[in-house]
Amino acid sequence: MRAVAHVAGVSVSTVANVLSRPSVVAPETLRRVQEAMTEVGYVRHGPARVLRGVPSAIVGSVMLDLANPFYAQVNRGIEDRLADQDCLVLVGSTDLDAARQRRLLRLLEEQAVRGVIVAPIDPDLTGLQEMSRRGTPVVLVDHPRGRMDLCAVAVDDVLGGRLAAEHLLALGHRRIAYVSGVVGVAAVDRRRTGVCEALADAGLSVEQALVDAHMSVGGSLEETVKAVERILAAVPRPTAVICFNDTGALEILHGLEAAGLRVPADMSVVGYDDLRFAARLSPPLTTVAQPTYQLGYAAADLLLGETQAGHTHREIVFQPSLVVRSSTAPPATLL
Amino acid sequence: MRAVAHVAGVSVSTVANVLSRPSVVAPETLRRVQEAMTEVGYVRHGPARVLRGVPSAIVGSVMLDLANPFYAQVNRGIEDRLADQDCLVLVGSTDLDAARQRRLLRLLEEQAVRGVIVAPIDPDLTGLQEMSRRGTPVVLVDHPRGRMDLCAVAVDDVLGGRLAAEHLLALGHRRIAYVSGVVGVAAVDRRRTGVCEALADAGLSVEQALVDAHMSVGGSLEETVKAVERILAAVPRPTAVICFNDTGALEILHGLEAAGLRVPADMSVVGYDDLRFAARLSPPLTTVAQPTYQLGYAAADLLLGETQAGHTHREIVFQPSLVVRSSTAPPATLL
DNA sequence: CTGTTAGCGCCTTCAG
DNA sequence: CTGAAGGCGCTAACAG
């Protein structure tokens, strides 16, 4: 700024005015200063600004895994909402590790970011609550707010599980396998709750009607094979599978095929997320769609609102929707 | 820091020493200061540090689209390499828009980031060169360095195209369609060059042997249908399709099916990227694999090296590899 | 080993 | 409308 001021033959504070309150500067002076800026190659210094008290142009985003299409999509929503405000997203993946989550949040707080959007994997939210109190606003994503005094945006996972199960029940299935990730992701467990509710509502006993199986998210072939074996070995054998996400369903589909079963004739399969490829599989996958992009968009929106005077924390809950395609059909026993 | 110093009964600079050079502080004092820090809830202020001259803990990453699996994977590589250094990634998507790329880079530079990793869509790299000269190191990703004085890491796209084409030629195909994105992505064009080279090497005329088609990356159904029609209408009709990426190949596969053709009996299809789902399609997709994660990892590595004394700019080129599966076979005319 | 001091770049009163 | 001055939190000399 000093250099610009010198070249333009004005004082630094005039340059400051050109930057922050251009309307206050004489047009002629303004022009001269702007020319000087390009001549000198002036670039505003963000850190100095935040030190001075201007809100940071950076928002943190802490998700399970940036390379996972679901979270990548959420991040695009965040990014796009923030772009209007010339804000940028500082990302981090927790990889399901609570320690890593803490580390990332700490790093973010040290950067004095405008706020943080978190899809927490650590069930203990007190750290987030404190961070918020200390002055870094926090918005929860894909996690119910509970009794926390924070903004949150989520999808009704229980409903999602229920939709999947009710669809299968309506087709006549009475014994259903539920495939979760190998480690407990809260959202996946909530969906299972929805499945159980639907089963109970249909007058079925959960012990009788539900078969649990697990496979890791990374999905080695072995894991898949084991999960499929587990499902096929259950007595009586289930006639349908609900999977924790579409990628998992893809694997299961493959494993089922390898085991010589036809989908949906011998086994129905339901996915979750409605990723792009779901519609293009053969058979096209019945799945539960979530408004991922909007999730991120809304979260960023809430976060920007945090700085407003008189802000009160809110929770937004989106509804998932069932997308019926061809991987589900009545069980063979009924035909 | 003042508060911490007060509580611990020392001066600010002792607190500073505890933070930056703990070995210089008496163990007893150290302990007392650390206790005071947790008591006060002290959080280091990053922006103040960079103002003072400490290198920023933030690295920028500007890619075409964060939600695109290819770039998401590259970003994970960047993130993981940076995690060792307690560095974070500030991301932005250009969406194929040169103006947006400029804007993002500007914003990043204003944040005084440690450096920037860019997959440039703007063929004009002078802006990047200048940014680098101004003091923000730049590493190019997925783009040849050319005569630029920058570090770069790329995959040999020409070779990738060549591998795909040579595979088809070896199977006996003599007329091949090449599907690009609707807008020119440089990498996709380079692959086409590789295809042309392979055709020429086989003694074929490119005009005769190659049919060009386009479809948008977003991939509306109509676009796909049009591309497929264009391919099927060409006379003589091609017997194989090379697609700009796996997602595109998925669409084409679907379009071909809808048109009543069987893959690979009536038409061979080759994808690009080897995304997770490629192996699970039916038929499993023949495709060209790229080391995406390593691309990002290496780029971050080069960037961290930029700050070292005596650094000279380097270019790293990875080799793609052909993954043969079941979507390719000899053309029907040969059977 | 600990305390004092100056200044990084910017913004915002306040005085001219 | 423009210029001068102070301080945000931190670090690196340097003095004690």
Side-chain angles (χ1 to χ4, degrees):
Chain A
M1 270 174 75
R2 207 151 38 216
V4 174
H6 184 253
V7 169
V10 297
S11 80
V12 261
S13 64
T14 298
V15 178
N17 280 334
V18 169
L19 255 16
S20 304
R21 301 137 33 164
S23 60
V24 165
V25 183
E28 165 57 15
T29 317
L30 196 125
R31 199 190 46 72
R32 228 173 50 242
V33 172
Q34 283 167 337
E35 268 173 18
M37 292 205 291
T38 64
E39 186 185 329
V40 175
Y42 172 73
V43 179
R44 232 172 170 178
H45 197 284
R49 304 186 73 205
V50 340
L51 185 55
R52 192 65 205 8
V54 175
S56 167
I58 300 179
V59 167
S61 163
V62 175
M63 305 272 145
L64 201 158
D65 176 14
L66 240 198
N68 175 317
F70 174 79
Y71 295 105
Q73 201 64 40
V74 172
N75 258 306
R76 268 315 302 253
I78 296 175
E79 184 191 339
D80 289 356
R81 175 63 185 89
L82 255 26
D84 302 339
Q85 319 284 315
D86 282 340
C87 276
L88 263 15
V89 199
L90 194 52
V91 302
S93 305
T94 61
D95 286 328
L96 230 21
D97 177 343
R100 208 175 311 214
Q101 177 182 315
R102 278 195 300 275
R103 182 183 149 275
L104 283 170
L105 288 169
R106 179 71 183 198
L107 248 29
L108 253 13
E109 193 176 3
E110 290 187 354
Q111 297 313 313
V113 295
R114 170 93 64 104
V116 170
I117 297 172
V118 197
I121 43 113
D122 187 346
D124 178 13
L125 301 183
T126 55
L128 293 171
Q129 185 67 266
E130 276 165 27
M131 191 165 158
S132 167
R133 257 197 263 286
R134 249 180 270 130
T136 303
V138 173
V139 172
L140 260 27
V141 169
D142 202 31
H143 191 285
R145 169 162 68 157
R147 48 188 66 267
M148 286 298 125
D149 189 26
L150 298 170
C151 278
V153 18
V155 180
D156 187 342
D157 291 310
V158 177
L159 175 58
R162 178 183 277 276
L163 289 173
E166 284 176 350
H167 167 63
L168 293 173
L169 288 167
L171 287 172
H173 295 272
R174 289 296 173 268
R175 197 154 154 83
I176 296 173
Y178 186 76
V179 180
S180 348
V182 82
V183 244
V185 179
V188 174
D189 294 342
R190 286 193 296 274
R191 290 175 208 158
R192 185 176 178 283
T193 305
V195 172
C196 293
E197 284 182 13
L199 258 26
D201 286 1
L204 299 174
S205 123
V206 171
E207 290 73 40
Q208 300 276 328
L210 195 68
V211 174
D212 275 297
H214 305 272
M215 60 184 272
S216 77
V217 184
S220 71
L221 191 56
E222 285 177 42
E223 292 261 11
T224 311
V225 170
K226 247 194 270 179
V228 170
E229 278 173 1
R230 166 113 180 68
I231 293 168
L232 299 183
V235 184
R237 177 193 279 189
T239 57
V241 183
I242 298 176
C243 218
F244 64 100
N245 71 17
D246 286 350
T247 311
L250 182 61
E251 300 291 323
I252 291 288
L253 232 41
H254 207 249
L256 252 21
E257 229 177 78
L261 301 208
R262 291 157 306 155
V263 175
D266 305 320
M267 184 77 77
S268 286
V269 175
V270 181
Y272 212 103
D273 284 347
D274 194 23
L275 298 185
R276 269 183 63 94
F277 66 74
R280 300 294 185 247
L281 298 180
S282 58
L285 190 67
T286 294
T287 189
V288 178
Q290 309 193 71
T292 46
Y293 182 88
Q294 292 86 325
L295 210 60
Y297 199 93
D301 205 55
L302 287 179
L303 185 56
L304 291 173
E306 291 269 350
T307 31
Q308 311 268 316
H311 168 86
T312 52
H313 294 140
R314 296 198 300 134
E315 178 167 30
I316 297 178
V317 179
F318 287 96
Q319 305 295 305
S321 61
L322 182 74
V323 181
V324 177
R325 289 197 271 251
S326 319
S327 66
T328 47
T333 49
L334 286 191
L335 295 177
Chain B
M1 269 174 75
R2 206 148 40 215
V4 174
H6 185 252
V7 169
V10 296
S11 79
V12 261
S13 63
T14 298
V15 178
N17 280 335
V18 169
L19 254 17
S20 303
R21 302 140 23 164
S23 60
V24 164
V25 183
E28 166 58 17
T29 318
L30 195 124
R31 198 189 46 72
R32 230 174 47 243
V33 172
Q34 282 168 338
E35 268 173 17
M37 292 204 291
T38 65
E39 186 186 331
V40 175
Y42 172 74
V43 179
R44 233 173 171 178
H45 197 284
R49 302 187 75 206
V50 340
L51 184 56
R52 198 60 222 329
V54 175
S56 168
I58 301 179
V59 167
S61 163
V62 175
M63 307 271 144
L64 201 158
D65 176 15
L66 239 199
N68 175 318
F70 174 79
Y71 295 104
Q73 201 63 39
V74 172
N75 259 306
R76 267 316 300 254
I78 296 175
E79 184 191 339
D80 290 356
R81 174 64 186 89
L82 256 26
D84 302 339
Q85 319 285 316
D86 282 340
C87 276
L88 263 16
V89 199
L90 194 52
V91 300
S93 306
T94 61
D95 287 328
L96 230 21
D97 177 343
R100 207 174 312 212
Q101 176 181 315
R102 279 195 300 275
R103 183 182 149 275
L104 284 170
L105 288 169
R106 179 71 182 197
L107 248 28
L108 252 15
E109 193 177 3
E110 290 187 354
Q111 297 312 313
V113 296
R114 171 94 64 103
V116 170
I117 297 171
V118 197
I121 43 115
D122 189 346
D124 178 14
L125 302 182
T126 56
L128 293 170
Q129 186 69 266
E130 276 166 26
M131 190 165 158
S132 166
R133 258 197 261 287
R134 249 181 270 130
T136 303
V138 173
V139 173
L140 260 28
V141 168
D142 203 30
H143 191 284
R145 169 161 67 157
R147 47 188 67 267
M148 285 299 125
D149 190 25
L150 298 170
C151 277
V153 19
V155 179
D156 187 342
D157 291 309
V158 177
L159 175 59
R162 178 183 277 275
L163 288 173
E166 284 175 350
H167 168 62
L168 292 173
L169 288 167
L171 287 172
H173 295 273
R174 290 294 174 268
R175 196 154 154 84
I176 297 172
Y178 186 76
V179 180
S180 350
V182 82
V183 243
V185 178
V188 174
D189 294 341
R190 285 193 296 274
R191 289 174 208 159
R192 185 176 178 284
T193 305
V195 172
C196 292
E197 285 182 13
L199 293 175
D201 286 1
L204 299 174
S205 122
V206 171
E207 290 73 40
Q208 301 276 327
L210 195 69
V211 174
D212 275 297
H214 306 271
M215 60 183 272
S216 77
V217 183
S220 72
L221 192 56
E222 284 176 44
E223 292 260 13
T224 310
V225 170
K226 247 193 273 181
V228 169
E229 278 173 1
R230 165 113 180 67
I231 293 168
L232 299 182
V235 182
R237 178 193 278 190
T239 57
V241 182
I242 299 176
C243 217
F244 64 101
N245 71 16
D246 286 349
T247 311
L250 182 62
E251 300 291 323
I252 290 289
L253 233 41
H254 207 249
L256 252 20
E257 231 176 77
L261 301 208
R262 290 157 307 155
V263 175
D266 303 321
M267 183 78 76
S268 286
V269 174
V270 181
Y272 213 103
D273 284 347
D274 194 23
L275 297 184
R276 269 181 64 92
F277 65 74
R280 300 293 184 247
L281 297 181
S282 58
L285 190 66
T286 294
T287 188
V288 177
Q290 310 194 70
T292 46
Y293 182 88
Q294 291 87 323
L295 210 60
Y297 198 92
D301 206 54
L302 287 179
L303 185 56
L304 291 174
E306 292 269 351
T307 29
Q308 311 268 318
H311 168 86
T312 52
H313 294 140
R314 298 198 299 134
E315 177 166 31
I316 296 177
V317 179
F318 286 96
Q319 304 295 304
S321 60
L322 182 73
V323 180
V324 178
R325 289 197 270 251
S326 319
S327 65
T328 47
T333 48
L334 288 190
L335 297 177

